[in-house]
Amino acid sequence: MSLASPVGRASPAASIDPIVALTRDDMQRVNDLILSMAGSNVELIPEIAEHLIGSGGKRLRPMLTIASALAFGYRGDGHVKLAASVEFLHTATLLHDDVVDESNLRRGRKTARTIWGNQASVLVGDYLLGQAFKMMVEVGSMRALAILSNASAVIAEGEVWQLSAAKSLATTEEDYAAVIGAKTAALFAAAAEVGPVIAGADETSQAAMRDYGLHLGLAFQLVDDVLDYGGSAGELGKNVGDDFREGKITLPVILAHRSANEADRAFWRDALENGRNDDEALERARALLDQHGALQATRERARQHGAKALEAARQVPAGTSRDALIAVVDFCIDRIS
Amino acid sequence: MSLASPVGRASPAASIDPIVALTRDDMQRVNDLILSMAGSNVELIPEIAEHLIGSGGKRLRPMLTIASALAFGYRGDGHVKLAASVEFLHTATLLHDDVVDESNLRRGRKTARTIWGNQASVLVGDYLLGQAFKMMVEVGSMRALAILSNASAVIAEGEVWQLSAAKSLATTEEDYAAVIGAKTAALFAAAAEVGPVIAGADETSQAAMRDYGLHLGLAFQLVDDVLDYGGSAGELGKNVGDDFREGKITLPVILAHRSANEADRAFWRDALENGRNDDEALERARALLDQHGALQATRERARQHGAKALEAARQVPAGTSRDALIAVVDFCIDRIS
């Protein structure tokens, strides 16, 4: 049984299938709501929204909201609206992120900004944010609104911080933890916490689900960082080396750079800050990460966060919802095992 | 007395002084709250926020929120938080607008994007939106949240629409009314409506204040359109001809173009769509507007909206708050009389 399986070892239940099965019906309603709330007489809005919505993401965040509400016995349709809000917050962030990072591809497809331009991406992102808050208001839970509005401010704050300070090899491991805590884990945490909130569960349960989402989000991001230097394109929906070519400072790089000699530091600087990032450079980067055990160390940190997420999940009432939440953590970690 | 003064004739009470005096203490608290909520350990955020906040705007929108709450006897500090939220929604819109319009100057000062770049402007705008919703949540009025979140979606939708369809001389008067209804008047309407909402006033009062804000916003924008072809830089904080040079299709242009001959239509196309907008072109534009009575007709529409705003204001309980709300309308209209 996956609850008992040692963290980091592949378990039969390490899969997103259980959460997909658990949330299938509700996620169909989430998808319908998303399409309806992304609708507008202004044609450009559904056009861009459908491009993003059809981009093949796993919709993990809204599934977390659905599963965490079901885990605490929620009955009603507020979880569907909150799940759609969570996906809109995420989608708006992606739209704005791609503008800020000048990204041309996401999951192997052209980004909205390369098709419709930066201007439309900024404004459609704003529209989706407004629609997200409208849906939250309909649910009527002031506490859920507080959690999600706070997450949206934290995400933006993390992005500004990354923009102003963190795109440099001087970034420390602590800095990086703060950035991914804000940019990725804050929304995972909020998505999971609002479930017990609308189910009327007690504060301990709310805190447990917040911790679950937070550590799952951190593990998720660190695993992604590892896979970018080691996975295959099919697995990731992006190509190995995307982060490298975009000059992203991720934890593996921070760890390798920290213990590098002068020549290797110059290499990292050239590659990530000055854009000398061809295939040959990528090979050297991978060799250096290997030499310093940087991917291994990042994996280890991901496993630690996975363990904390599992610990939090143990506070959820036993049942298929808890099993599904646990299997997601195992799945996330097993991708790098 | 301004209530009885015929619309469009300058009256002694036509001034923003009464609303400034009425809201002075509360606006000081709004300003303090704005500075505190624009704070962040990420230095770039307060830097950019203070640039905008110190830009010398009249803060008319938050003053409307304060005055409309006071007009219905509100006691508490929710109006201060909602007023600060309204200003943040407005500020976030300006930040994103300047990116979308590639504007370099606003009120004669460099825009945030020219100093800190488009990326920071997008992200700090997102941060302010998140902080705005956090403040609204603190007030605890679900109805106020619904009104303001709806306004924020409507504003963005209007902007996307303008981007995709309305930057062309094919824009009709009806199209333009829809755009300024969304881009300008929706926030004025929401700012005024939340006052009676948190004061616990009845639905008739809420609807009256919404109408007041809506028509004041429409009048305000139309007056701005007129002044851009006729006012002085000091009065506007922008230079005469700014709209013209930015290729903005405003009501005066739509009216003049509608009844223009082929040669004049070619001129408008060249000037506004192809950027042939030097001083000589501006002079010809002003002559054409004059010839077609386009500024006069726009003034007339502004007056009609002013009259509707005054009619709505008459439903407010008599007192200094109502007098202040009325004087704002008179002030707005008198700028073009």
Side-chain angles (χ1 to χ4, degrees):
Chain A
M1 201 194 135
S2 81
L3 222 183
S5 72
V7 176
R9 210 186 63 195
S11 75
S15 164
I16 60 164
D17 294 347
I19 200 171
V20 169
L22 174 76
T23 63
R24 181 165 289 125
D25 292 349
D26 285 333
M27 283 301 292
Q28 184 54 53
R29 294 165 64 208
V30 171
N31 291 344
D32 292 345
L33 182 58
I34 283 174
L35 285 176
S36 128
M37 291 299 285
S40 164
N41 292 330
V42 181
E43 286 169 27
L44 197 53
I45 292 176
E47 236 176 273
I48 293 182
E50 280 163 28
H51 175 80
L52 281 145
I53 290 159
S55 71
K58 286 188 291 293
R59 302 258 173 106
L60 188 51
R61 294 162 190 81
M63 281 197 289
L64 288 180
T65 300
I66 298 291
S68 72
L70 296 178
F72 291 91
Y74 179 72
R75 290 174 185 275
D77 58 9
H79 64 331
V80 168
K81 288 177 180 171
L82 290 181
S85 304
V86 164
E87 186 66 7
F88 270 21
L89 291 182
H90 177 56
T91 305
T93 303
L94 295 185
L95 276 167
H96 288 183
D97 257 13
D98 287 340
V99 169
V100 168
D101 294 342
E102 301 178 350
S103 303
N104 296 321
L105 289 177
R106 181 175 286 279
R107 299 184 173 280
R109 300 174 77 207
K110 281 187 182 171
T111 53
R113 75 173 207 101
T114 60
I115 305 177
W116 293 281
N118 284 339
Q119 302 169 315
S121 294
V122 169
L123 297 176
V124 173
D126 290 350
Y127 179 71
L128 295 180
L129 281 176
Q131 294 291 80
F133 282 99
K134 278 170 65 179
M135 286 189 281
M136 294 174 214
V137 167
E138 282 178 23
V139 176
S141 161
M142 207 49 95
R143 177 81 193 124
L145 263 158
I147 290 164
L148 288 165
S149 58
N150 188 58
S152 103
V154 166
I155 293 167
E157 191 174 28
E159 307 247 12
V160 180
W161 191 78
Q162 189 177 39
L163 184 70
S164 57
K167 282 200 166 171
S168 129
L169 282 160
T171 306
T172 66
E173 184 174 355
E174 291 68 36
D175 291 340
Y176 186 67
V179 166
I180 66 173
K183 282 191 57 174
T184 306
L187 189 55
F188 273 81
E193 187 179 3
V194 293
V197 164
I198 57 165
D202 60 19
E203 291 209 358
T204 310
S205 303
Q206 297 175 24
M209 286 310 295
R210 181 173 60 241
D211 282 350
Y212 167 85
L214 178 73
H215 290 292
L216 175 64
L218 291 168
F220 183 88
Q221 184 60 57
L222 293 172
V223 166
D224 225 52
D225 292 350
V226 169
L227 290 176
D228 196 76
Y229 284 98
S232 67
E235 193 175 350
L236 266 177
K238 63 181 184 179
N239 298 309
V240 169
D242 276 354
D243 290 347
F244 182 73
R245 279 182 290 267
E246 289 175 20
K248 283 193 183 158
I249 312 295
T250 60
L251 186 58
V253 170
I254 291 167
L255 297 177
H257 178 263
R258 188 164 77 179
S259 50
N261 60 29
E262 251 326 297
D264 290 344
R265 285 189 177 212
F267 161 76
W268 286 115
R269 230 170 12 246
D270 263 9
L272 296 172
E273 295 182 353
N274 305 324
R276 291 176 59 177
N277 52 25
D278 57 14
D279 286 353
E280 197 183 329
L282 177 59
E283 277 320 297
R284 179 162 174 198
R286 291 173 71 164
L288 287 173
L289 294 174
D290 201 40
Q291 178 190 321
H292 293 282
L295 294 180
Q296 194 49 45
T298 304
R299 268 188 205 102
E300 186 47 37
R301 284 169 183 69
R303 281 196 194 98
Q304 288 162 0
H305 286 298
K308 287 182 181 167
L310 289 176
E311 197 183 313
R314 284 189 192 102
Q315 298 179 54
V316 177
T320 51
S321 297
R322 180 172 79 174
D323 293 346
L325 290 168
I326 286 169
V328 168
V329 180
D330 289 337
F331 164 76
C332 173
I333 301 297
D334 283 1
R335 289 158 73 205
I336 48 164
S337 294
Chain B
M1 201 198 133
S2 82
L3 222 183
S5 73
V7 176
R9 210 185 64 196
S11 75
S15 164
I16 61 164
D17 294 348
I19 199 169
V20 168
L22 174 75
T23 64
R24 182 166 287 123
D25 292 350
D26 285 332
M27 283 300 294
Q28 185 53 53
R29 295 165 63 208
V30 170
N31 292 344
D32 292 346
L33 182 58
I34 283 175
L35 286 175
S36 130
M37 290 299 284
S40 163
N41 292 329
V42 182
E43 286 170 28
L44 197 52
I45 292 176
E47 236 176 271
I48 294 181
E50 279 163 28
H51 175 80
L52 280 145
I53 290 159
S55 70
K58 286 188 291 293
R59 302 257 174 109
L60 188 52
R61 294 162 188 81
M63 281 198 288
L64 288 181
T65 300
I66 298 292
S68 71
L70 296 178
F72 292 90
Y74 180 72
R75 290 175 184 276
D77 57 10
H79 65 329
V80 168
K81 289 177 179 172
L82 290 181
S85 303
V86 163
E87 187 67 6
F88 271 21
L89 291 182
H90 177 56
T91 305
T93 304
L94 295 186
L95 276 166
H96 288 183
D97 256 14
D98 286 340
V99 169
V100 168
D101 294 342
E102 301 176 350
S103 303
N104 297 321
L105 289 177
R106 179 175 288 279
R107 298 184 173 281
R109 300 175 77 207
K110 281 187 182 172
T111 54
R113 75 172 208 101
T114 60
I115 304 176
W116 293 281
N118 284 338
Q119 302 170 316
S121 294
V122 169
L123 297 175
V124 173
D126 289 350
Y127 179 71
L128 295 180
L129 281 176
Q131 294 292 80
F133 281 99
K134 279 170 65 178
M135 287 189 280
M136 293 175 214
V137 167
E138 281 177 23
V139 176
S141 160
M142 209 46 96
R143 177 79 193 127
L145 264 158
I147 291 165
L148 288 165
S149 58
N150 188 59
S152 104
V154 165
I155 292 166
E157 191 174 28
E159 306 248 13
V160 180
W161 191 79
Q162 189 177 40
L163 185 69
S164 56
K167 282 201 166 172
S168 129
L169 282 161
T171 307
T172 65
E173 183 174 356
E174 291 69 34
D175 292 339
Y176 185 69
V179 166
I180 66 173
K183 284 191 57 174
T184 308
L187 189 55
F188 272 80
E193 186 179 3
V194 294
V197 164
I198 58 166
D202 61 18
E203 292 210 358
T204 310
S205 303
Q206 296 175 25
M209 286 310 294
R210 180 171 63 241
D211 281 351
Y212 167 84
L214 178 73
H215 289 292
L216 176 63
L218 291 168
F220 184 87
Q221 185 59 56
L222 293 172
V223 165
D224 226 51
D225 293 349
V226 169
L227 289 177
D228 196 77
Y229 285 98
S232 68
E235 189 173 357
L236 265 178
K238 61 181 185 180
N239 298 310
V240 169
D242 276 354
D243 290 348
F244 181 73
R245 278 183 290 269
E246 289 174 20
K248 283 193 183 159
I249 312 295
T250 60
L251 187 58
V253 171
I254 291 167
L255 297 178
H257 178 262
R258 188 164 78 178
S259 48
N261 61 28
E262 252 327 297
D264 291 343
R265 286 189 176 211
F267 161 77
W268 285 115
R269 231 171 10 247
D270 263 9
L272 296 172
E273 297 182 352
N274 306 324
R276 293 178 58 178
N277 51 26
D278 56 15
D279 285 354
E280 197 183 330
L282 177 59
E283 278 318 298
R284 178 160 173 200
R286 292 173 70 164
L288 287 172
L289 294 174
D290 200 41
Q291 177 189 325
H292 293 283
L295 295 180
Q296 193 49 44
T298 303
R299 267 188 206 104
E300 185 47 38
R301 283 167 184 70
R303 281 195 194 100
Q304 288 162 0
H305 287 297
K308 287 183 181 167
L310 289 176
E311 196 183 310
R314 282 186 194 107
Q315 298 180 53
V316 175
T320 52
S321 298
R322 180 172 79 176
D323 292 346
L325 291 167
I326 287 169
V328 168
V329 180
D330 289 337
F331 164 75
C332 173
I333 300 297
D334 283 0
R335 288 159 74 208
I336 47 164
S337 295

